[in-house]
Amino acid sequence: ELSRLVVLSERRSSLEVEASADECAQLAERFGWAKLSWLRATATLTRFDAARRRTRVSGKMWGQLARTGADGGRRVLTVEAEPFESVYIPAGAGDGADAAIDLEADFDDEMGSGGEIDVGECVAQHFYLHVEDGALEELAEWVGSGLEADGTVVYDSTG
């Protein structure tokens, strides 16, 4: 979908990620949205722990999508300069405590392997999480107001 592989290095690097029309269509299908009109981001990769090869990926993202709201109506959401941050730790690069990172950031070992990280996948995941957080807030406004969610909602922060 939105793959932008970057070779990790000791030096700080920056890049821009912009989804093509085809990539937008694939991401919309993957995430269950009616349409993703556009998505772009700026990202900076910073090595901050040379011993464990930990790399921080941070930046801002912009985009516009259409999705179905809790009431069944179509919603257009525009995201403007939303910050994101993740930490990448290569498998086997730590002391067994890879997920015990020093900051409140997401950890996702599917963003890369070896000496590469997929910054496009990182952006796609963060964009999805930002949009779905908003959808849950919208649903919370409707629950108790005559529209009840089907099924059970479970929030598990234990990882």
Side-chain angles (χ1 to χ4, degrees), residues 14-15 28 32 36 38 52 77 82 100 109 111 119 130 145 150 153:
S14 298
L15 71 147
L36 178 59
W38 53 275
R52 292 178 63 200
L77 173 67
E82 181 64 28
D109 59 357
M111 287 192 307
V119 177
H130 175 73
S145 302
D150 293 333
V153 177

Side-chain angles (χ1 to χ4, degrees), residues 40-57:
R40 72 178 182 85
T42 59
T44 301
L45 285 71
T46 308
R47 176 72 52 92
F48 69 98
D49 181 348
R52 292 178 63 200
R53 301 188 322 233
R54 298 191 305 176
T55 301
R56 178 180 294 116
V57 182

